[in-house]
Amino acid sequence: MILDSMLSNSPGFLFVLSALLVAMVGVVRLAQACLRCVRHWLGHARAGFRTAHS
């Protein structure tokens, strides 16, 4: 029922779909950037830990 009303109102449906897609891509990019930062920070932390305890 909800899908039928969405399909009959196709411009709004397409807008919502594209907005969701953009939001998903943004979240994925943000997650990748966070992972990169965390890996970088962990690498530095490990290197510092190794040099401090050698």
Side-chain angles (χ1 to χ4, degrees):
M1 240 183 258
I2 296 168
L3 195 65
D4 286 341
S5 63
M6 275 182 162
L7 287 172
S8 64
N9 185 19
S10 56
F13 176 68
L14 284 174
F15 175 75
V16 169
L17 202 67
S18 61
L20 279 172
L21 193 68
V22 168
M24 273 171 44
V25 169
V27 167
V28 167
R29 282 190 179 167
L30 193 68
Q32 284 177 341
C34 284
L35 276 173
R36 205 177 300 127
C37 285
V38 167
R39 279 200 204 113
H40 186 74
W41 183 79
L42 279 176
H44 273 292
R46 277 200 212 113
F49 193 75
R50 252 188 258 122
T51 53
H53 284 269
S54 60

